[in-house]
Amino acid sequence: EDEDEGNGLDAWERAYADERSWESLQEDESGLLRPIDNKTIYHAQYRRRIRTTARIQKGLIRYLYIVVDLSRAASEMDFKPSRMAVVAKHIEAFIREFFDQNPLSQIGLVTIKDGLAQCLTDLGGSPDSHVKALMGKLECSGDSSLQNALDLVHGYLNQIPSYGHREVLILYSALSTCDPGDIMETIQECKKSKIRCSVIGLSAEIFICRHLCQETGGSYSVALDESHFKELLLEHAPPPPAIAEFAIANLIKMGFPQRAAEGVISICSCHKEAKVGGGYTCPRCKARVCELPTECRICGLTLVSSPHLARSYHHLFPIPPFDEVSLSLNNPHQRSSRACFGCQESLLIPGNKPTLCVACPKCKQHFCLDCDIYIHESLHNCPGCESFR
Amino acid sequence: MSGEVLKRARYKTSVKDSGVAGVLKMTEDKFVFMPNDPTSSARFDVEFRFIKGHKFSKGGSNKPALLNLTQDSEKGGGYIFEFENYPDREVCREFVGRALAKFSEASKAGSEQSAVKLFDEQLSTIEMERRIKLLREDSELQKLHKQFVLSGVLTEAEFWATRKKLLDGNTSRTSKQRVGFKSAMISDLKPLTDGRTNRVTFNLTPEIIHQIFAEKPAVHQAFLNFVPNKMTEKDFWNKYCRAEYLHCTRNTVAAAAEAAEDEELAVFLKHDDILANEARRKIRRVDPTLDMEADQGDDYMHLPDHGIFRDGSKEIIDPQYEQYRRTLSQDLNRHAAVVLEGRPIDVELEDTRTVAEALAKSKRVEAANEKSDGSVTRERLERISRMTEIEDLQAPRDLPFAALCIKDPRDYFDSQQANALKTLGDTLAGSKQIKCSLSTQEAYGSLRGFISEIKSVGLSDPIVKPDIALKVLNGLTQNISSTKFHLGKNPQESVLDRLPIITKEELLHHWTSIQELLRHFWSSYPITTTYLYTKASRLKDAMSQIYPKLQEIKESVQSDFRHQVSLLVQPMLQALDAAFAHYDADQQKRSARSGERPNGFV
C-alpha cells in the first residue's frame, strides 16, 4: 500500500513533484506564454464519446422534464458562486443545444423546494420562455423530495401520446430525500410508464439515485467541477438510444406549412395581433402561425419544416468514426494531403514532424482533430463524401 | 347542484315593479316560485318547455340583478325575477341556459338526449363559482360563452374543456403533494434559557409533536394513556420537557433520582421498551447477507454507543444508572429510520389528540397487514437470493436497445395511392385505364434521343418566357411595397388600429368566435360516435351563419379601408372554407361507405 501512495504523496501532489507539469509551458518569440495544447486531450475525450455505429433506434421526439433541486443544499458554495447559479447558467446553454439537436422535442421545468415539487413551465418548444421562468425563480430553501418530483412529472408525462419518448433529467444537489411515502413504489410506476430518468448529482453518489437510474434505463453521473458538470449535462442533448421494450413504432401526422405571401395580412392565432406577411399557414385548417416547429392551435396538427426533420434524421445515421492516421512525408500518395480538407490548415507542425490526423474511411480525405470533432458533433455530414456526390 | 337550484328572489311583473319576495326553485324541467307571504297570489309552477328564452340585465354596482324568462316572443309575457346579488343570478342564469339548451336539443333529435346526458357534469359549488368568476372578469369570455353555450351550439362541458388551465388556476397540483418528515432533528428540543430568571423555555409546534410521537413510541403510548385521564396535555408536555432537560445535562444520577420520585417522569427517562421490541423483531427479519454488527447498539441489548469509545476511554457508569443514559447515535439512527419510512398519516396537525390517535390507528393497520400478508416471506426469499450475488460480479443489468428498422417509404405511398384510386374508381365510373409498358431498352433509347436533341438545338420552348417573367416580378414588387407603404412606417401601429373602432371590434369578435368554433370542429374529427357527428353538424351550422356576416363587414366599411378589411377577412374565409370542405369530403366518404343510409349514421 505504501508503494501505491508513493512516499505518502497524493496524486495531485505527484503531478507537481514527479511529473513537473510546469515544464510543458513554452514561450514564443516575444516572451509570451503559449497556450497549452489541449487538443489531444479533447480529442481523446471525444473519441470516448463516440459509440458503436450499430443501427439502433433513437428517441427523436422527446418530451423532457428538467427537475432542478432548489433545496438548502443548492446554496452551497463549492461551485462558484453557488450550486444553484451554476446549474441555472448551464441549463440555459443546455436548453438551446437541446432544441438545436432535437427540434421536434419539448422541454418542461420542475423545481423542488421545501419538500414539494412545483411545475415551473409546461412542456413547450420555445427556449426563451423556459429560461426566463427559471431565472426569475432562483431561491432555495428547505428539504428536497425525490418522490414528490417524480410523482409530479409522472402525472404530466402520462398525458403525452405514445410515440413520444418520456424523459426526466434530475439535477440533484442534496444528499438526502425526505419523502412522504415509499419511493420504491414511485420508481416502479415510472418504470411502468416508460419514463427514462437520469440524474446528475452535484455532491456525492446516492444509492437511491443510482437505483432509480438503473431501473428506468437512465444514466447517473456525479459532477466533479463546473466544466465536468457542463460536459455531463450536454451529453444529454443528443437523443438517447431507445430501449427495446419501450419503443413503439407509429405513423405520425405532420404538416409542412408554406410561408405566407408578403402581402397577406392576417390575425395570427398565437398573439391575436394582425401581422403583415411572413408567418406560416397550417395546411389543414389554414390558421396562421408565427414560427415553426409548433402545434397548430386550432386543429392540433404538428407543424414542422423539412430542415427540422433533417436535423433529427441524421442522429439515426451517424458518420462512422474517422481512422487515425499519421502523416509521413515520404509517402508519395500522401503528398497532396498536407492540408486539412475541411479548414485548409496545414497538418504539419513546424519542424516537419509527422502529426496526428484523421481520415474518413469512405472518401479518404484527411482532417485535423478540430474538424473531426466539429464534423461528428455539429455538422453531421462529411465534407469529403458530400463533395464527391 | 346539478339537479336543482334554490334561491331567494323577488318576482316582478315589470322592471319598475317593487316585486314580491319569495323563493325560486328550479329543477331540470320546471321552475317554481313560492312567495314569502302565503296570501299572495304570485305563485308559479312553470315548465321550461314553455319558456323560449331568457334575458338578463347587465352588471353594475347599482343595478339590480334581473333575470327575465320570456315565453313566446310574439305573444310577449314572461317572468321577471330580481336576485339579491349577481352570483345568485348567474347561477340561475346558467341553470336556465342549460335547461333551455337541453329542451331545444331534445326537440331536434330525441335520441341525442341520452348522449348529451352522458356528458352532463356533476359540478361542485366551487367549480360553478370559479366559472362564474371567470366569466365576470373576462368580458370576452363572457361574450363567447353567451354566444355559443346559451344558444346551444356548444355545451358547457365542451366550452370549459378547452379552458382547463383557467379553471385549475390556483388549485394547483402541489396542494395534493405531501411533505415528508424534515431531515433536521426537530424532535431534539433545544430550549431557550434565560439566565436572569433561570427559566427554560421549550417551543413545541404540531410538526415537532408529530415527529416526537413517530420516533418515540413510548411517549406516544404514554400520551394516549395519561391524557386526559391522569393529567392535562400541558402537564404532560411539562414533564416531557423536564425529562429532555435532564437528558441535556447528562446527569444520570439526578435523572435516576427524579425518576424514582415521579412515575410518569420515569417513562420519559427510561429506555423505550416498545422501540426495543420493535428493533429486535426487525433485526430477526433482516436478510442474512446484511452485516448487522453496526446496528447492534440499536436494540438496547448490547453495547451502547455501538462500541465506540469516547476520547479513547470508556465511560464508566454505575450499572444502576445504565438505563437512564441515552446516546446521540441511537437518536440519530431512530430519526433517520422514521424519516425514511415516510409520513404515515395525512391529518391536519392541529390537535395533538387527533394526531396521536391517527398515528396509533395507522400502526395497528400496519401490524395487521404484516400478519396477514403471506407474501412477505416470499419477498424476503427473493431479496435474499438477489443479494447473495456480489454486486461487483454481476453482469450489468442494462435494458437492451431497440434495433433500427426503417421501412421503405414507398410502401406507404403505394398503399395510399391504391386507396385513392379505389375511391376515385368508385365515383368516376366508366373511365378507362390505359396500360402502357415500355421495355428498358426503349426507355433508354428515347431518353438518349431527347438529350442529344437538346444538346444540339437548345431549349426551344423555355419554361418561363422572359418578358412575362419581368412583368410578373414588377407587379409583385409594386404590390408588396405599396402594402408596406400604406401601413405606414410606424412598427407599433398595427393594421387593426387604423380601422374605425367598431369595425375593429367586430372583426376581432368574429375572429375569436371563428377560432373557438374551428377548434371544437377540428377536435371532433375523426368522427367515431353519433355525439361527435351531431356536434360537428352543429358547429358547421354556426359557422355558416358567421360566413355571410363576414361578407357584410366587407361591404359595409368605407371605401378607403375596404381593401385592408378584405385582406384581413380573406384568411378567415379561407379557414372556414377549409373546414366546410373537410366536412363535405367526410360526408361524401360516409355516404359512399354506407350506401343509402339516411342521416349518415354509422
Side-chain angles (χ1 to χ4, degrees):
Chain A
E1 269 187 53
D2 279 331
E3 289 148 26
D4 281 346
E5 285 178 30
N7 305 329
L9 286 176
D10 294 328
W12 63 273
E13 286 169 331
R14 263 179 284 143
Y16 292 109
D18 297 341
E19 291 157 12
R20 297 175 187 258
S21 53
W22 62 85
E23 286 185 3
S24 59
L25 286 174
Q26 289 169 343
E27 283 181 29
D28 63 9
E29 311 84 49
S30 44
L32 298 167
L33 283 176
R34 268 208 203 110
I36 298 183
D37 187 14
N38 285 329
K39 265 209 280 201
T40 37
I41 302 177
Y42 285 147
H43 194 248
Q45 277 176 350
Y46 135 80
R47 289 205 77 93
R48 268 184 273 132
R49 276 202 291 267
I50 294 195
R51 298 188 193 109
T52 57
T53 52
R55 285 160 60 113
I56 45 177
Q57 277 188 35
K58 297 217 173 153
L60 295 183
I61 303 187
R62 303 163 71 184
Y63 293 86
L64 172 71
Y65 264 102
I66 305 182
V67 177
V68 183
D69 177 11
L70 290 178
S71 63
R72 234 173 325 179
S75 58
E76 293 281 324
M77 303 209 267
D78 53 356
F79 285 69
K80 301 277 174 267
S82 71
R83 285 184 187 169
M84 174 175 72
V86 166
V87 164
K89 183 170 83 170
H90 289 301
I91 283 183
E92 185 180 342
F94 170 75
I95 289 181
R96 294 189 199 280
E97 180 71 19
F98 180 86
F99 282 120
D100 254 352
Q101 300 215 15
N102 306 276
L104 302 173
S105 314
Q106 295 184 1
I107 284 189
L109 287 175
V110 168
T111 56
I112 310 178
K113 209 161 87 161
D114 290 322
L116 292 173
Q118 281 116 17
C119 177
L120 207 56
T121 57
D122 287 322
L123 283 173
S126 96
D128 295 317
S129 59
H130 295 305
V131 171
K132 222 181 352 179
L134 180 64
M135 291 310 179
K137 276 274 182 131
L138 283 182
E139 308 120 6
C140 53
S141 66
D143 291 325
S144 147
S145 167
L146 206 51
Q147 183 183 16
N148 277 336
L150 286 175
D151 274 336
L152 187 70
V153 170
H154 177 259
Y156 285 130
L157 283 179
N158 259 346
Q159 297 165 5
I160 63 169
S162 61
Y163 56 75
H165 279 252
R166 306 164 179 189
E167 296 177 39
V168 182
L169 178 61
I170 306 178
L171 302 172
Y172 211 60
S173 324
L175 275 175
S176 63
T177 166
C178 300
D179 303 321
D182 189 0
I183 193 174
M184 297 300 185
E185 272 177 28
T186 312
I187 295 181
Q188 289 309 312
E189 300 236 332
C190 287
K191 186 171 173 180
K192 247 192 299 184
S193 301
K194 307 182 187 169
I195 303 179
R196 180 180 181 266
C197 309
S198 308
V199 182
I200 301 184
L202 282 120
S203 43
E205 177 169 328
I206 308 174
F207 168 74
I208 193 65
C209 294
R210 177 158 292 288
H211 182 77
L212 168 68
C213 296
Q214 250 175 7
E215 288 287 302
T216 53
S219 74
Y220 182 35
S221 37
V222 178
L224 297 171
D225 53 30
E226 188 174 332
S227 54
H228 189 213
F229 176 71
K230 181 174 174 187
E231 217 181 279
L232 290 173
L233 192 56
L234 288 178
E235 258 178 29
H236 283 94
I243 297 170
E245 45 186 1
F246 293 176
I248 308 176
N250 267 351
L251 279 179
I252 307 164
K253 209 168 199 174
M254 289 198 179
F256 291 87
Q258 287 200 330
R259 201 169 162 82
E262 277 304 319
V264 170
I265 312 177
S266 60
I267 308 181
C268 81
S269 52
C270 22
H271 302 110
K272 270 185 82 166
E273 282 167 13
K275 301 220 169 156
V276 187
Y280 303 91
T281 351
C282 169
R284 188 155 74 175
C285 65
K286 307 283 181 281
R288 185 196 189 278
V289 287
C290 290
E291 50 182 25
L292 297 177
T294 185
E295 237 181 54
C296 175
R297 277 182 185 223
I298 307 293
C299 63
L301 187 63
T302 315
L303 300 172
V304 292
S305 72
S306 35
H308 293 138
L309 272 189
R311 258 189 275 161
S312 310
Y313 195 65
H314 64 60
H315 286 297
L316 295 175
F317 303 100
I319 309 179
F322 291 166
D323 307 319
E324 288 187 7
V325 292
S326 59
L327 268 188
S328 69
L329 295 166
N330 301 323
N331 192 339
H333 296 289
Q334 287 182 352
R335 199 150 301 167
S336 54
S337 50
R338 271 191 211 160
C340 162
F341 186 76
C343 57
Q344 300 301 317
E345 287 231 342
S346 166
L347 286 174
L348 306 168
I349 53 175
N352 278 345
K353 277 189 264 192
T355 180
L356 192 64
C357 65
V358 291
C360 170
K362 288 195 203 152
C363 60
K364 310 281 188 264
Q365 296 288 350
H366 291 259
F367 295 97
C368 64
L369 300 184
D370 286 332
C371 286
D372 183 17
I373 297 178
Y374 178 66
I375 289 172
H376 280 91
E377 304 216 323
S378 303
L379 200 55
H380 299 287
N381 286 301
C382 169
C385 300
E386 296 297 320
S387 61
F388 280 149
R389 289 249 191 106
Chain B
M1 190 63 197
S2 65
E4 67 179 40
V5 167
L6 195 66
K7 292 277 179 238
R8 277 191 200 289
R10 297 179 81 89
Y11 164 67
K12 297 177 163 188
T13 44
S14 72
V15 179
K16 296 249 170 47
D17 186 26
S18 63
V20 178
V23 172
L24 177 64
K25 174 172 144 179
M26 292 197 220
T27 58
E28 279 179 31
D29 26 315
K30 64 180 185 176
F31 67 91
V32 177
F33 179 75
M34 306 284 291
N36 290 340
D37 183 7
T39 60
S40 163
S41 58
R43 197 173 308 217
F44 306 105
D45 184 353
V46 184
E47 293 191 49
F48 276 124
R49 271 191 297 132
F50 300 120
I51 303 292
K52 295 290 174 250
H54 62 300
K55 297 191 224 156
F56 45 90
S57 61
K58 287 218 166 54
S61 50
N62 296 329
K63 304 213 188 107
L66 297 174
L67 181 65
N68 184 359
L69 300 170
T70 52
Q71 284 177 309
D72 203 343
S73 47
E74 292 168 301
K75 293 193 201 144
Y79 305 90
I80 304 182
F81 294 104
E82 179 186 332
F83 294 92
E84 285 170 357
N85 49 41
Y86 279 98
D88 277 353
R89 201 275 305 274
E90 299 296 325
V91 169
C92 289
R93 196 192 71 180
E94 301 247 0
F95 194 85
V96 169
R98 262 191 295 152
L100 286 180
K102 238 186 287 180
F103 269 96
S104 57
E105 268 204 47
S107 58
K108 276 188 203 163
S111 59
E112 301 315 300
Q113 193 147 21
S114 50
V116 168
K117 276 218 159 51
L118 267 178
F119 291 87
D120 222 4
E121 320 145 272
Q122 301 289 324
L123 290 174
S124 64
T125 24
I126 308 176
E127 274 274 326
M128 265 301 229
E129 275 170 17
R130 186 142 180 89
R131 290 186 183 186
I132 292 171
K133 183 166 164 240
L134 277 172
L135 282 177
R136 219 175 329 155
E137 284 169 3
D138 191 351
S139 63
E140 268 209 45
L141 199 63
Q142 192 174 46
K143 251 194 278 179
L144 277 178
H145 186 252
K146 187 171 73 168
Q147 188 180 2
F148 294 131
V149 178
L150 299 183
S151 56
V153 177
L154 290 173
T155 65
E156 280 275 343
E158 290 165 3
F159 183 76
W160 292 107
T162 52
R163 292 180 166 82
K164 277 219 169 74
K165 266 243 150 126
L166 288 175
L167 285 178
D168 270 346
N170 296 329
T171 61
S172 54
R173 278 164 242 239
T174 49
S175 57
K176 299 193 197 129
Q177 287 183 0
R178 298 180 296 154
V179 187
F181 280 129
K182 287 204 196 311
S183 68
M185 275 188 71
I186 53 178
S187 57
D188 198 11
L189 301 172
K190 285 282 169 280
L192 298 161
T193 40
D194 191 348
R196 272 191 304 141
T197 57
N198 259 344
R199 285 172 63 143
V200 177
T201 335
F202 287 84
N203 199 3
L204 283 172
T205 66
E207 175 78 18
I208 296 181
I209 292 177
H210 185 52
Q211 263 204 359
I212 291 177
F213 284 162
E215 288 180 22
K216 302 183 185 169
V219 174
H220 181 216
Q221 193 61 40
F223 182 85
L224 288 172
N225 293 341
F226 294 164
V227 178
N229 308 326
K230 279 204 201 165
M231 58 172 84
T232 63
E233 197 180 317
K234 199 158 174 343
D235 287 336
F236 181 84
W237 291 118
N238 275 339
K239 293 217 171 155
Y240 178 78
C241 295
R242 176 128 194 93
E244 282 295 308
Y245 184 66
L246 285 170
H247 275 304
C248 274
T249 56
R250 288 188 216 278
N251 194 341
T252 48
V253 182
E258 292 227 12
E261 284 173 35
D262 193 344
E263 190 190 299
E264 282 121 21
L265 196 59
V267 171
F268 301 136
L269 290 171
K270 276 197 293 201
H271 285 165
D272 196 329
D273 281 330
I274 306 179
L275 195 56
N277 281 333
E278 256 182 51
R280 255 171 269 163
R281 219 179 51 225
K282 280 192 194 163
I283 289 180
R284 278 201 289 271
R285 280 197 345 237
V286 168
D287 72 69
T289 59
L290 215 53
D291 184 358
M292 293 300 293
E293 189 176 325
D295 279 18
Q296 275 176 359
D298 281 336
D299 66 357
Y300 298 90
M301 296 195 302
H302 296 87
L303 294 167
D305 263 352
H306 305 76
I308 303 171
F309 302 149
R310 283 184 216 251
D311 310 324
S313 68
K314 235 175 127 165
E315 239 178 66
I316 314 286
I317 296 235
D318 225 340
Q320 68 178 177
Y321 302 129
E322 190 70 31
Q323 54 176 332
Y324 297 106
R325 240 179 49 140
R326 209 175 63 185
T327 60
L328 182 62
S329 27
Q330 278 170 350
D331 287 341
L332 273 178
N333 286 342
R334 176 69 194 151
H335 174 75
V338 166
V339 171
L340 282 177
E341 262 168 28
R343 188 179 278 265
I345 56 177
D346 247 344
V347 176
E348 282 295 317
L349 302 173
E350 276 169 18
D351 186 15
T352 325
R353 184 91 204 155
T354 41
V355 171
E357 283 174 357
L359 206 55
K361 198 166 79 157
S362 72
K363 284 219 176 114
R364 278 200 296 271
V365 168
E366 214 183 280
N369 278 345
E370 265 178 35
K371 283 200 188 121
S372 60
D373 206 357
S375 66
V376 168
T377 35
R378 193 167 24 99
E379 226 181 83
R380 250 189 86 218
L381 289 173
E382 216 178 288
R383 214 173 49 221
I384 291 175
S385 64
R386 213 175 50 199
M387 299 286 283
T388 41
E389 259 188 355
I390 302 179
E391 198 184 306
D392 288 346
L393 298 178
Q394 286 176 16
R397 273 187 297 181
D398 286 336
L399 304 165
F401 295 145
L404 191 61
C405 151
I406 299 191
K407 290 195 192 161
D408 195 357
R410 278 191 293 241
D411 288 344
Y412 173 74
F413 289 115
D414 287 342
S415 68
Q416 289 295 79
Q417 202 167 32
N419 279 345
L421 280 176
K422 224 192 313 172
T423 50
L424 260 182
D426 286 346
T427 52
L428 301 174
S431 57
K432 253 200 325 180
Q433 266 187 332
I434 310 171
K435 279 209 174 150
C436 307
S437 65
L438 277 177
S439 75
T440 331
Q441 298 277 27
E442 290 169 352
Y444 182 64
S446 79
L447 193 59
R448 274 193 75 163
F450 278 127
I451 292 175
S452 52
E453 195 184 314
I454 291 178
K455 266 194 189 159
S456 54
V457 177
L459 284 171
S460 58
D461 207 358
I463 302 169
V464 179
K465 292 197 170 50
D467 39 349
I468 297 184
L470 188 62
K471 252 193 249 176
V472 170
L473 275 175
N474 278 338
L476 269 178
T477 327
Q478 211 175 21
N479 206 357
I480 294 174
S481 54
S482 76
T483 322
K484 287 221 159 72
F485 175 74
H486 281 154
L487 287 177
K489 307 211 174 55
N490 191 353
Q492 309 294 52
E493 205 182 63
S494 98
V495 183
L496 286 175
D497 291 333
R498 302 174 98 236
L499 300 170
I501 297 196
I502 313 172
T503 328
K504 173 180 168 188
E505 303 267 297
E506 240 188 289
L507 275 175
L508 274 179
H509 174 69
H510 281 303
W511 183 81
T512 34
S513 23
I514 290 178
Q515 297 263 308
E516 184 72 20
L517 285 173
L518 282 177
R519 211 180 306 165
H520 286 278
F521 178 79
W522 288 107
S523 70
S524 44
Y525 280 91
I527 295 188
T528 45
T529 66
T530 41
Y531 173 71
L532 286 173
Y533 183 77
T534 41
K535 180 175 170 190
S537 13
R538 250 188 296 144
L539 290 167
K540 178 188 176 263
D541 294 332
M543 286 196 286
S544 18
Q545 281 176 359
I546 297 191
Y547 204 95
K549 287 195 204 158
L550 285 176
Q551 306 277 27
E552 274 172 30
I553 294 186
K554 261 204 284 188
E555 278 143 32
S556 68
V557 92
Q558 284 173 299
S559 59
D560 16 337
F561 299 121
R562 197 163 294 177
H563 176 66
Q564 288 184 12
V565 169
S566 66
L567 277 180
L568 273 169
V569 167
Q570 183 69 355
M572 295 193 227
L573 291 174
Q574 269 178 352
L576 287 175
D577 287 336
F580 289 145
H582 186 87
Y583 181 79
D584 291 333
D586 195 59
Q587 286 284 64
Q588 246 186 1
K589 246 192 275 178
R590 272 162 186 276
S591 50
R593 236 189 294 152
S594 53
E596 280 303 313
R597 293 178 76 185
N599 287 340
F601 265 62
V602 180

